[in-house]
Structure formats: C-alpha cells, structure tokens
Amino acid sequence: MSVDTAKNPDHAPVPAAGPELVRLENVTKRFGDHTVLDGLDFRVDAGKHVTLIGPSGSGKTTILRLLMTLTTPDEGAITVAGERLFPAPAKQVREIRKKIGMVFQHFNLFPNMTVLRNVTEAPVTVLGLSRDEAAERARELLELVGLADKCDARPGQLSGGQQQRVAIARALAMRPQVLLLDEVTSALDPELVAGVLDVLRDIARSTDITMLCVTHEMGFARDISDQVLMFDAGRVVESGPPEKIFGDPEQERTREFLSAVL
Ligand SMILES: Nc1ncnc2c1ncn2[C@@H]1O[C@H](COP(=O)(O)OP(=O)(O)OP(=O)(O)O)[C@@H](O)[C@H]1O
Ligand SMILES: [Mg+2]
C-alpha cells in the first residue's frame, strides 16, 4: 500500500539547512497505461546526500533518468538550482544538464580511449577547457579515486571496480552540482564493491557535492545519507534520516522491504 506523504506530515522530508537544489513537483510518468511515478513531490537540498531505496520496478531509476533528461514526465515540473529543467526550452535544458552528473550501473567508458582521455573528453568538448586544464583536473580526480597510476591504461585493462571508479572520476570532472548514482556497485564482483563504496564515502565526506543515490547497499546508505526515501509503486512511502528509516521505520511496507534485503 502506498502512503500519500502530503496527508502524512510525519513522513514529510526532514527539513534541510541548505538551499533547494532539485525539486520534483507533482511528477507523473506513465509507460502506456502503467503509471510508474504518481504525482511525485520531493526536493534535495544543496550539499545533502539523499538515498532512494525500494523494490525493483518502484520507479527509482526513472527519477534519475528524468533528471538526466533521458526521458520526460507526462505531468509536473522539475527544477534544478532554481531553473526549470522541465518544462523548458532545449537551450535551457542543455545548460542545466551541465550541472548534473550521473554514474550508471554499467560504466559505459569509451573503450578505445585511455583512462585519462575518458576523464578529459567531456570537459574539453562540452565545457571548453584546454587539454592541459582538463588533464590537471583529471589527474586530481584519478588520485581521489585511487587510480593515479592508471592514466595511460585502457578500460579493458582494468577491473570492473577500477572502471567504475574511472566512471566516478569522469562524472566529477564536469564539476556537477548534483551527482546521480544508480546502483553503481550492483554489476561488480562482490570483492570489488567495498573499494568503490569507500571512494564514494570519501567523496561524500570530502566534497560539498549533492548526491542522489539509488542503492541496495543498506550499510552504505546508512553511512552517507542525510535522508533516505523509501519508494514503492512510484510514491514515497516514508522518508527520514537513516537512523529512523533503518532503525525504527513507521510503515509496514518499509519494514517488510528492509527485512527482505537486510
Ligand atoms: N522505457 C520503458 N518502457 C516501458 N516501461 C518502462 C520503461 N522504463 C521503465 N519502465 C517500467 O517502469 C517501472 C519502473 O522502472 P524503474 O527502472 O524506474 O524501476 P527501479 O525502481 O529502478 O527498479 P530496479 O530496482 O529493478 O532497478 C518498471 O515497471 C519498468 O518496467
Ligand atoms: Mg533501477
């Protein structure tokens, strides 16, 4: 059963200190007659780390795809850093898109380019950085993700975990204001998961980047999140700080989901 958070003030998102960075208002998304997101409202404040949890098919990836403008809502509005992302003219969408970075489950690195080139390509072609500036930025980020010695390697010469860390560096090289992470460790061999999560913990701790993260790694969600949203059937069932959602959830649906995954 879904719960309308508007009618349950106790489940309203925790008030956050920073200014609002991302807002979805009454967003509905349908595929045919299947309503995947149903009048969804939520906001992410600047500098906060918000995690989406919930069962398969509940609409988590769809939210990130809407923010990446890979798909558009049927109804509602999306605002990023005070500017409309939807509905909005194409030029405005292109500008706002530069503020948003995403790392997917599958790394999608350019296989024919070196690691360094993978990280410098978009800053040069999209942001207009010089090759030298982009390379300097890329080396710092590859250091941050523990791959300073792999600049000249090709993706095919790296482990899955290393490739995913390159993908994280590549997203950060665009200096996005918000980083979207969709189950970034779920395609990895189990022994590689911890290294990637450690890098993300480090980024969450050491930068002021806003994160919107979909994950099945509940320990990681508990560590990094300011707020956790429990999703089911395209609606927020319950939201709150991780201690509350993982330690003392109010909704039966949340308890049921957590007992299945923990
Ligand atoms: N392009 C599409 N065409 C039709 N249906 C789609 C499309 N994309 C997603 N859906 C449907 O929308 C629903 C939500 O999908 P979504 O990928 O957002 O779920 P999710 O919460 O990310 O699930 P998972 O945890 O399995 O990744 C699913 O029922 C899915 O089948
Ligand atoms: Mg998904």
Side-chain angles (χ1 to χ4, degrees), residues 31 34 36 54-63 65 105 182-183 214 216:
F31 292 108
H34 180 192
V36 174
S56 182
S58 58
K60 305 178 301 294
T61 294
T62 302
I63 294 176
R65 288 176 53 84
Q105 186 174 355
D182 192 3
E183 296 190 38
V214 173
H216 291 297

Side-chain angles (χ1 to χ4, degrees), residues 58-195:
S58 58
K60 305 178 301 294
T61 294
T62 302
I63 294 176
L64 302 190
R65 288 176 53 84
L66 287 169
L67 287 166
M68 287 298 286
T69 65
L70 297 170
T71 188
T72 51
D74 293 294
E75 289 162 33
I78 302 176
T79 309
V80 175
E83 290 180 282
R84 268 290 149 82
L85 178 65
F86 181 88
K91 185 165 178 283
Q92 185 167 324
V93 171
R94 275 197 302 277
E95 284 308 306
I96 300 175
R97 271 284 290 104
K98 292 180 192 165
K99 299 177 187 198
I100 307 172
M102 182 160 182
V103 183
F104 298 88
Q105 186 174 355
H106 297 283
F107 345 107
N108 310 111
L109 296 176
F110 305 118
N112 55 335
M113 293 182 187
T114 64
V115 163
L116 189 75
R117 188 73 187 253
N118 263 278
V119 182
T120 57
E121 195 59 17
V124 170
T125 57
V126 180
L127 301 183
L129 263 64
S130 72
R131 287 257 159 228
D132 285 350
E133 282 171 300
E136 194 184 328
R137 186 183 287 191
R139 284 179 203 283
E140 279 170 21
L141 288 166
L142 288 167
E143 170 116 37
L144 178 72
V145 301
L147 293 174
D149 58 337
K150 298 290 185 192
C151 288
D152 299 324
R154 307 263 162 183
Q157 297 169 309
L158 303 182
S159 74
Q162 290 170 332
Q163 291 183 52
Q164 193 59 300
R165 284 186 274 148
V166 175
I168 293 166
R170 184 176 62 173
L172 291 175
M174 294 295 284
R175 301 248 167 103
Q177 291 187 22
V178 57
L179 183 64
L180 310 177
L181 301 160
D182 192 3
E183 296 190 38
V184 296
T185 58
S186 58
L188 299 178
D189 291 337
E191 71 272 21
L192 301 176
V193 169

